[in-house]
Amino acid sequence: MEEDDETLVNRVLESVGVPKLSSVAGNNQPLPTAASSASQAPAMSSSVQLAHDINYTDQGLDLQMQFPPTNLSINGQLGEDNSSLDDTVSYNDLFQGYYDDKMTPDWMWAGMLAPEVEKAFGQTPINWNASLFPGGEDTQNEDDAHPDIVSQIAARFGSLQIAPDGKLRYFGTPANAHLLHNNRMWNNSSTQRSLQLDGTRLLRGAELDLDVDSAFEEHLIKTYFSWHNSCHPVVDEAMYWSSRNNSEENKDTNGFSSPVLTNAMCAIGAGYEARYHSALVTFPRPLADFFAERAKTLLEVELDSPCVSTVQALLLLSSHEAGYQRIARSWLYGGMAMRLCFDLGLHIDTNIYVQQGLISAAESRARRSAFWGSYVMNYRASFSLGRPFTLDASEITVSKPGASANTPAINAAPTSWNEYPSSSATQASPALDSAQAASELANAISEQRVTLCDMVEPIARALYGNTVISNKSLQELSDRASSSMFRWRKNLPSTLRLAEDEQSKVAPQILVLHLEYHYLAILLHRPWTSRRLQPVPAQGHGYRQARKICVTSACEMANILLKFEKHYGYRRLNVETLQILPSAALILIFATVSVSDGGDKAAHIATNLNTVLRALDELSSTYVCAREHLESLLLIQQTWHNTSKGSSGKRAAASEELARSMKRGKI
């Protein structure tokens, strides 16, 4: 064999785990004829079988035991007489992908060699259909013999299984976990780390092992539930407290509370307090960052055996990191939470598991709340950052918030809400206790938020990510989405609408819901504010309508902020709501440089812009991102103002020159 040919063949042999050929100089023998090849067929068959059973790691193995004695030249000619072949075997055909039910798997080259080569080697074909189905290839009773086994093999959809750590995990049928019927899939030989032991050691190493007063910790948690979780439901409050009490009594928590989640909630709750605490000395690290660092340190241990509380903690850490302008970590934590949702099977309907007694109805409700909280937060992050994030709705079977048969109709949702800390909290409906009232309001708002996300997600993905869609198709999608949003607002239940009376107090989560609606309206119409980007020929309402909607929505957001400031103060705005304020401010800055006259309209826009900037300024003492957003907006305002002023000067100079030319009679 030529040296180049030998190198090429050795490369192929190495890729399939077979020892390379060892060439001996001057040992090239003439190729045998087809007749001699046929006479050696029985010997070849036994050699192939023997080669299949031998471990090929022995480098000294005789080549006659690895391969049939017939040689094949590199140009594909099998000896001088190739009459036994129908066609000449080319080199390209030698390693073509080929397999059928008549090829024996004992031959090491099965699936690689062409049928002509198999014929030349004298391999005896085996009819696998006849071996597996002796009654015929198309037997109607094939499933009847072993129906249970066949149905397990052919199953398409996965289910919840008990993993070696004792937690429920979702496995699809390709993982074969459904064949074990909740028996342990693996021997859990690895030593599982303990939050109590390894977590304490890690906290001590990071100098985060300070003793936190239980009363202060409970205060921060209640603050979180009152101001953050009420607006962006992630944690089921009743389930958390029940699980926490079980943990204190050394009972099973069912994965709905953990030190990681507790510290994450304290981090969010500390955002509504002073940066430092007199008794808990964390200087120079802010109080919120102290609890967040504790949560992130313990998270490393909990990820060995994650549960529902891990998903919730990741979502809260994502919010915290966004507040400190650590965008990469925020995006990463949100994505990890979504992945864990599928790991834990939070996306599937668990009614059948409740009926079987595998989980309780309260656990099912808490799992659903965690999933839809992750769903909305990931889409919101995708909208605000303009990054792709898509889920296939056909794979999500868990019911949406408010869709349960045991949940009251949305029109019956109370507007009551328990403010903490406050001596004048709004009282709940007499027919409902405060916890139930807050839960129903959270469900009603969550349902509307999910509906909004589903409306906007397709068009937002097309507007800010699709580079091949035409402007005409994009405009049509935008019009449909815009109409859907207008109908959503029109059909909103009366209990979730803003009161016309400016003096009436509205729950903060309702105010936040309307802030999000106007933010999404801006997001939807912002790309169409340019005249140059309109479809040709013109269609839709045009750029003037898009600008009007954007400016109107930004002004509405400013009015809602005024209501929030009057009743609660800007410091009670949560970090997720903070992320949508810069969009309103940017539109109002654009409006200030676009208005040519300095009348009432310009004054009204300037007042609304001042409201949004004041909110960011108030929050900048707590959140780094608020300060950076404010500084960026002020820089943009100055840049646009100078640009607009320069353009106005040029236009004025051109107008004066035109007037002088007309006066001299040149025009």
Side-chain angles (χ1 to χ4, degrees):
M1 183 180 295
E2 296 294 333
E3 183 177 356
D4 293 340
D5 298 337
E6 179 181 349
T7 301
L8 184 59
V9 172
N10 279 336
R11 204 175 294 168
V12 176
L13 297 178
E14 184 180 11
S15 67
V16 296
V18 177
K20 301 178 181 179
L21 296 173
S22 57
S23 61
V24 179
N27 195 31
N28 295 328
Q29 300 295 329
L31 294 176
T33 63
S36 63
S37 174
S39 64
Q40 297 172 351
M44 288 188 290
S45 179
S46 60
S47 299
V48 172
Q49 181 61 42
L50 179 61
H52 176 75
D53 295 334
I54 293 178
N55 187 347
Y56 289 110
T57 57
D58 185 2
Q59 296 297 326
L61 193 64
D62 190 279
L63 292 180
Q64 294 296 327
M65 299 176 65
Q66 298 183 45
F67 303 100
T70 303
N71 294 320
L72 189 68
S73 68
I74 202 64
N75 62 6
Q77 298 298 329
L78 190 59
E80 298 179 358
D81 181 10
N82 55 3
S83 58
S84 62
L85 299 178
D86 294 334
D87 298 300
T88 300
V89 182
S90 67
Y91 182 75
N92 292 332
D93 294 332
L94 179 60
F95 296 107
Q96 70 176 8
Y98 176 82
Y99 184 82
D100 64 12
D101 54 11
K102 297 182 180 180
M103 183 177 289
T104 170
D106 292 337
W107 168 231
M108 71 181 72
W109 294 102
M112 296 183 66
L113 298 183
E116 293 84 355
V117 181
E118 294 291 343
K119 181 178 179 181
F121 283 140
Q123 191 68 15
T124 303
I126 298 177
N127 190 334
W128 289 99
N129 277 340
S131 302
L132 293 176
F133 313 112
E137 297 187 3
D138 190 15
T139 304
Q140 297 180 355
N141 297 325
E142 290 170 7
D143 284 6
D144 295 341
H146 305 286
D148 294 337
I149 296 178
V150 173
S151 62
Q152 291 180 39
I153 287 292
R156 294 173 54 208
F157 304 112
S159 58
L160 293 178
Q161 304 291 333
I162 299 178
D165 59 0
K167 307 289 178 55
L168 286 175
R169 301 261 186 268
Y170 177 83
F171 292 97
T173 53
N176 299 326
H178 66 293
L179 303 176
L180 301 177
H181 302 291
N182 280 327
N183 293 323
R184 287 179 176 263
M185 296 175 56
W186 310 275
N187 291 324
N188 194 15
S189 57
S190 60
T191 303
Q192 186 172 326
R193 293 185 291 179
S194 167
L195 273 176
Q196 185 175 2
L197 299 177
D198 297 272
T200 302
R201 176 179 55 81
L202 291 174
L203 289 177
R204 187 184 304 113
E207 299 182 354
L208 297 169
D209 58 334
L210 300 180
D211 292 329
V212 180
D213 180 65
S214 59
F216 180 59
E217 181 181 86
E218 185 173 331
H219 164 73
L220 293 179
I221 294 174
K222 289 182 177 179
T223 302
Y224 158 76
F225 277 119
S226 179
W227 295 102
H228 187 96
N229 199 70
S230 61
C231 297
H232 306 283
V234 171
V235 183
D236 187 283
E237 184 174 2
M239 196 65 198
Y240 170 79
W241 288 116
S242 174
S243 180
R244 181 181 169 97
N245 293 335
N246 289 340
S247 176
E248 294 174 353
E249 298 173 3
N250 295 323
K251 297 180 180 179
D252 186 13
T253 64
N254 294 329
F256 291 97
S257 70
S258 70
V260 179
L261 177 59
T262 298
N263 280 281
M265 289 192 293
C266 288
I268 298 296
Y272 300 98
E273 302 290 322
R275 285 171 59 85
Y276 305 101
H277 191 263
S278 58
L280 185 60
V281 181
T282 62
F283 190 86
R285 180 185 281 127
L287 192 62
D289 220 17
F290 165 76
F291 284 107
E293 289 299 323
R294 284 169 60 96
K296 287 187 281 187
T297 301
L298 296 174
L299 177 66
E300 175 59 29
V301 178
E302 188 164 292
L303 284 177
D304 290 345
S305 178
C307 50
V308 177
S309 64
T310 313
V311 174
Q312 298 163 335
L314 284 167
L315 293 174
L316 300 186
L317 287 175
S318 176
S319 297
H320 172 81
E321 297 299 304
Y324 279 78
Q325 201 65 358
R326 294 189 280 259
I327 303 301
R329 274 188 173 270
S330 175
W331 178 258
L332 176 63
Y333 285 144
M336 290 172 65
M338 200 73 251
R339 278 293 184 93
L340 275 182
C341 283
F342 294 110
D343 173 71
L344 299 170
L346 303 186
H347 65 294
I348 66 172
D349 184 11
T350 54
N351 286 334
I352 186 173
Y353 300 99
V354 174
Q355 295 171 5
Q356 293 176 352
L358 188 61
I359 62 177
S360 66
E363 292 173 344
S364 177
R365 183 179 62 249
R367 288 167 59 90
R368 182 181 67 175
S369 177
F371 174 79
W372 290 113
S374 178
Y375 180 92
V376 171
M377 286 189 62
N378 274 277
Y379 270 125
R380 186 188 299 114
S382 173
F383 296 157
S384 62
L385 295 176
R387 294 177 178 175
F389 174 81
T390 305
L391 294 176
D392 190 348
S394 65
E395 298 177 347
I396 300 173
T397 60
V398 62
S399 59
K400 293 185 178 181
S404 173
N406 298 324
T407 303
I410 190 171
N411 289 324
T415 55
S416 56
W417 163 71
N418 293 324
E419 182 179 348
Y420 177 88
S422 176
S423 58
S424 58
T426 306
Q427 297 299 318
S429 173
L432 300 167
D433 59 31
S434 58
Q436 183 180 357
S439 176
E440 289 186 9
L441 181 58
N443 284 335
I445 291 179
S446 294
E447 181 182 14
Q448 299 301 319
R449 184 174 284 113
V450 171
T451 302
L452 272 177
C453 279
D454 290 342
M455 286 180 186
V456 175
E457 184 273 332
I459 182 59
R461 182 155 42 94
L463 280 172
Y464 297 99
N466 193 328
T467 60
V468 298
I469 189 172
S470 65
N471 282 355
K472 181 179 183 298
S473 300
L474 199 57
Q475 179 69 60
E476 293 173 353
L477 285 174
S478 297
D479 286 345
R480 287 198 293 268
S482 181
S483 299
S484 298
M485 289 188 65
F486 294 153
R487 284 196 302 270
W488 175 89
R489 189 185 187 191
K490 181 180 179 181
N491 298 329
L492 201 62
S494 58
T495 51
L496 298 182
R497 295 181 183 178
L498 295 179
E500 297 180 0
D501 183 10
E502 296 291 336
Q503 303 301 322
S504 60
K505 192 173 184 179
V506 182
Q509 51 267 51
I510 296 179
L511 296 176
V512 169
L513 177 65
H514 286 267
L515 281 173
E516 290 182 345
Y517 164 79
H518 290 293
Y519 162 71
L520 293 176
I522 293 174
L523 188 79
L524 180 60
H525 292 89
R526 179 172 160 179
W528 302 111
T529 54
S530 172
R531 181 177 59 183
R532 298 178 181 178
L533 297 181
Q534 300 298 313
V536 178
Q539 70 178 43
H541 300 288
Y543 71 96
R544 290 189 178 89
Q545 178 70 6
R547 292 183 183 183
K548 180 181 178 181
I549 292 176
C550 286
V551 174
T552 301
S553 293
C555 291
E556 288 293 332
M557 291 179 70
N559 291 333
I560 296 172
L561 287 175
L562 285 176
K563 292 181 180 180
F564 202 102
E565 180 187 28
K566 180 178 181 180
H567 297 296
Y568 309 110
Y570 287 141
R571 290 294 302 274
R572 294 301 182 185
L573 280 170
N574 61 77
V575 63
E576 288 293 327
T577 305
L578 163 61
Q579 305 299 323
I580 67 178
L581 299 184
S583 292
L586 191 68
I587 292 297
L588 293 173
I589 291 174
F590 168 75
T592 58
V593 300
S594 300
V595 176
S596 57
D597 57 355
D600 295 339
K601 184 177 180 180
H604 176 67
I605 293 175
T607 301
N608 289 322
L609 174 60
N610 181 63
T611 300
V612 180
L613 295 180
R614 282 194 305 106
L616 290 172
D617 181 66
E618 186 78 15
L619 293 168
S620 62
S621 60
T622 303
Y623 301 110
V624 175
C625 70
R627 182 173 64 251
E628 294 193 2
H629 282 315
L630 180 61
E631 294 174 353
S632 300
L633 288 168
L634 293 177
L635 179 61
I636 292 172
Q637 182 183 30
Q638 184 63 41
T639 302
W640 286 2
H641 177 73
N642 293 338
T643 303
S644 176
K645 188 176 180 181
S647 299
S648 300
K650 291 180 180 179
R651 287 195 298 268
S655 299
E656 293 177 0
E657 181 63 26
L658 178 62
R660 286 194 296 268
S661 298
M662 293 178 65
K663 188 176 182 180
R664 290 195 297 266
K666 293 183 178 180
I667 299 180

